[in-house]
Amino acid sequence: TAEPTVGTYPAFEPDDYTYTLVVNCFCADGGVPIQVTVANGEVTDAVYAATRGGVKKGDPVEDYRRLTINDVIDAANDTKADQVDVVWPAGQDYPTSVHVDPDKRAMDEEVGYEVSDVTVA
């Protein structure tokens, strides 16, 4: 079986889970871990798991940070981006790291996602 490539990564099947998300970007809250709760495939809760970068632990995140693991996988499958780097350990149902550079000629628009502490309900 061929290794998945950009555009072919499979969806994360569980609909109910919690996980830690770190979004690395040129943004105020970049690098601050987020505790995400997903029920029926939708984010029901997402709060900062640390105090730094102008945010406080326990504060709710902005809507654009309320991401499911499948949202991260969608980024891994971005075939329009100039470069997509994915770390997806063999036998694991989700990537641990996705980095997207939409346009190599532009600066500061790259975004990375780190997924950890996944607990399926």
Side-chain angles (χ1 to χ4, degrees):
T1 311
E3 289 291 311
T5 56
V6 174
T8 69
Y9 290 104
F12 184 64
E13 294 298 326
D15 284 333
D16 302 297
Y17 57 91
T18 60
Y19 80 106
T20 300
L21 171 67
V22 175
V23 180
N24 293 302
C25 55
F26 293 96
C27 45
D29 63 348
V32 180
I34 299 167
Q35 183 63 42
V36 182
T37 303
V38 177
N40 297 318
E42 301 288 326
V43 175
T44 57
D45 192 38
V47 297
Y48 290 106
T51 299
R52 68 173 185 261
V55 298
K56 288 187 172 63
K57 182 177 180 175
D59 282 353
V61 302
E62 296 291 330
D63 284 346
Y64 68 94
R65 289 278 186 260
R66 296 172 61 90
L67 302 174
T68 66
I69 290 175
N70 281 322
D71 291 327
V72 175
I73 293 171
D74 287 346
N77 283 321
D78 184 351
T79 58
K80 292 186 174 87
D82 282 352
Q83 183 172 353
V84 179
D85 296 311
V86 179
V87 176
W88 193 312
Q92 190 166 281
D93 293 342
Y94 55 88
T96 52
S97 170
V98 175
H99 183 268
V100 180
D101 186 350
D103 184 350
K104 285 189 166 293
R105 295 164 298 179
M107 291 179 57
D108 300 347
E109 90 302 7
E110 303 90 354
V111 64
Y113 306 94
E114 294 173 26
V115 174
S116 64
D117 306 319
V118 177
T119 303
V120 176

